[in-house]
Amino acid sequence: MVWYDRKVRRVRDLSCGDTRIYLELEVRRVECRDCGKVKREQLDFLADNPLYTKRFAYYVGRRCRQATIKDVAKELALDWHTVKALEMQYMQAQLARAGTPAPRAIGIDEISIRKGHTYRIVVSDLIRGRPIWFGGEDRSEASMGAFYAWLGARKSSRIRLAVMDMWKPFRLATQAHAPQAAILFDKFHIMRHLGEALDTIRKREYARLSGRDRHYIKGQKYTLLSRRENLTLDGKKALKALLTANKRLNTAYVLKESFGQLWSYEREGWARRFFENWRASLKWQRLEPYEKFAAMIDRHWDGIAAYCRPENKVSLGFVEGLNNKIRVIQRRAYGLHNEDYRRLKVLTCMLPAL
């Protein structure tokens, strides 16, 4: 290498309110004897875009955690593409600081990224409370297998618990690549199936009744499906009137509320006895959707009973909370179809700011 020349460069360093701070740097350039090209001197404190410092790039990245790219670009008088590039550098630095994942308990779920059944798989580390993988082409067994290929056979063999919904491809891929892991079906997905069964009963009751009896049911779907403690005072009054007026819906509602007790048992035998008693209470009630739900639970019992073991006690609400956070990210980035950007946003949404 030989020195070629020096060049003064004006670099943006920070923004404080309406004040913009710039640095004037004398950047040296060198001529490579091997290839004959002139290359710029590398400075550690500069961002990938040499017109900005890393400190400024991290400032832009922190602002983008609360605002859209468009709003940040307008606030800082920058080009939209520049803000996006600086934010991506910030998110890559977050991932580098977080380190390589080696999970012991994972949560698996799929996310719809656009209409037309286009899915991506999200895998989370339930102990550290962060997403670690976002990818796949769909929610097939092959796409799930891509996660285990990325993680590697050694780390896959250390997974002791996999929390997922009752989607068969997820279960088969986990059994093939991490056979030692206990499979646990997510409580929130199971309760969603029970809520759908309750709503089916509500629709059938509305179709069966006429006149004034329909008045109590109409418009009460979310009142019936919500937990009682989450209802407003008016909602609780409407629920009480509905359950008083319709005996079948009252029975279905009580059964739905009591089913959540299944996850409180510490021994599989006690949990099984509770489920058999709950299933026996359906007799003569003419609640066909509940009978189908009970048959589904019976077929997938092993993945529910796994929660009774002390070593499998993990927070089952993290996966559902992460899904809600990802939906907020998707709404904020509406119309942005960059796959790398979407992946970085998901993987860093639970990481601390730099």
Side-chain angles (χ1 to χ4, degrees), residues 158-174:
R158 295 180 180 179
I159 299 174
R160 61 172 178 81
L161 180 66
V163 180
M164 64 187 74
D165 59 17
M166 290 178 285
W167 184 242
K168 188 176 180 180
F170 291 171
R171 186 171 73 252
L172 294 178
T174 300

Side-chain angles (χ1 to χ4, degrees), residues 205-228:
E205 285 298 288
Y206 184 81
R208 183 179 66 86
L209 299 174
S210 60
R212 182 173 178 80
D213 293 333
R214 277 189 168 187
H215 171 73
Y216 296 100
I217 301 177
K218 187 175 182 180
Q220 299 301 324
K221 173 182 177 179
Y222 295 103
T223 300
L224 191 64
L225 297 181
S226 300
R227 295 180 63 86
R228 188 187 295 267

Side-chain angles (χ1 to χ4, degrees), residues 9-288:
R9 184 182 297 275
R10 193 164 179 254
V11 179
R12 186 163 176 180
D13 181 45
L14 195 62
S15 290
C16 302
D18 295 331
T19 304
R20 302 174 189 173
I21 301 175
Y22 292 88
L23 300 177
E24 286 197 357
L25 304 177
E26 193 176 67
V27 182
R28 292 175 294 187
R29 299 191 299 170
V30 294
E31 182 180 14
C32 179
R33 290 176 176 175
D34 295 332
C35 64
K37 294 183 179 179
V38 177
K39 299 183 179 181
R40 178 176 54 84
E41 178 184 15
Q42 297 295 323
L43 300 176
D44 292 339
F45 61 87
L46 289 183
D48 291 344
N49 185 330
L51 297 179
Y52 307 93
T53 64
K54 281 186 180 178
R55 182 166 65 168
F56 181 71
Y58 290 178
Y59 173 79
V60 171
R62 288 192 296 271
R63 287 291 300 115
C64 288
R65 288 169 70 94
Q66 290 86 32
T68 64
I69 295 177
K70 182 179 179 181
D71 291 339
V72 175
K74 183 178 180 180
E75 173 189 338
L76 301 178
L78 293 172
D79 181 69
W80 185 93
H81 297 282
T82 300
V83 173
K84 179 186 170 186
L86 293 175
E87 185 192 4
M88 289 183 70
Q89 181 180 355
Y90 171 80
M91 292 187 291
Q92 289 164 352
Q94 281 184 294
L95 288 179
R97 178 173 292 186
T100 305
R104 297 293 184 271
I106 60 173
I108 305 170
D109 202 2
E110 74 274 0
I111 294 293
S112 175
I113 61 171
R114 66 177 68 91
K115 294 181 180 179
H117 301 286
T118 304
Y119 294 97
R120 294 293 181 269
I121 299 174
V122 183
V123 182
S124 308
D125 185 335
L126 297 181
I127 296 177
R128 296 187 63 186
R130 52 164 289 207
I132 58 175
W133 190 78
F134 179 84
E137 298 296 327
D138 46 29
R139 51 177 183 165
S140 65
E141 185 178 349
S143 291
M144 188 68 241
F147 161 71
Y148 292 106
W150 169 83
L151 189 63
R154 184 172 61 87
K155 291 184 178 180
S156 296
S157 65
R158 295 180 180 179
I159 299 174
R160 61 172 178 81
L161 180 66
V163 180
M164 64 187 74
D165 59 17
M166 290 178 285
W167 184 242
K168 188 176 180 180
F170 291 171
R171 186 171 73 252
L172 294 178
T174 300
Q175 290 172 343
H177 296 89
Q180 78 290 340
I183 294 178
L184 176 61
F185 295 132
D186 188 8
K187 171 185 176 180
F188 294 92
H189 285 92
I190 294 173
M191 295 302 293
R192 187 180 302 166
H193 284 287
L194 183 56
E196 291 172 356
L198 176 58
D199 190 46
T200 300
I201 295 171
R202 180 192 66 85
K203 292 177 181 178
R204 291 182 180 181
E205 285 298 288
Y206 184 81
R208 183 179 66 86
L209 299 174
S210 60
R212 182 173 178 80
D213 293 333
R214 277 189 168 187
H215 171 73
Y216 296 100
I217 301 177
K218 187 175 182 180
Q220 299 301 324
K221 173 182 177 179
Y222 295 103
T223 300
L224 191 64
L225 297 181
S226 300
R227 295 180 63 86
R228 188 187 295 267
E229 57 267 26
N230 295 335
L231 294 174
T232 63
L233 182 59
D234 291 339
K236 291 178 180 178
K237 290 180 179 178
L239 178 63
K240 183 178 180 180
L242 171 61
L243 300 182
T244 302
N246 192 292
K247 181 180 178 181
R248 187 172 297 173
L249 281 178
N250 181 69
T251 302
Y253 181 82
V254 171
L255 286 169
K256 191 264 288 189
E257 289 292 294
S258 65
F259 190 80
Q261 184 180 336
L262 179 64
W263 282 269
S264 64
Y265 292 100
E266 297 181 354
R267 293 189 180 181
E268 182 179 347
W270 296 347
R272 185 69 192 190
R273 183 180 302 175
F274 167 81
F275 172 67
E276 292 296 346
N277 290 336
W278 187 89
R279 191 177 190 179
S281 65
L282 299 178
K283 193 175 183 179
W284 312 117
Q285 298 297 338
R286 294 182 295 173
L287 299 174
E288 181 186 353

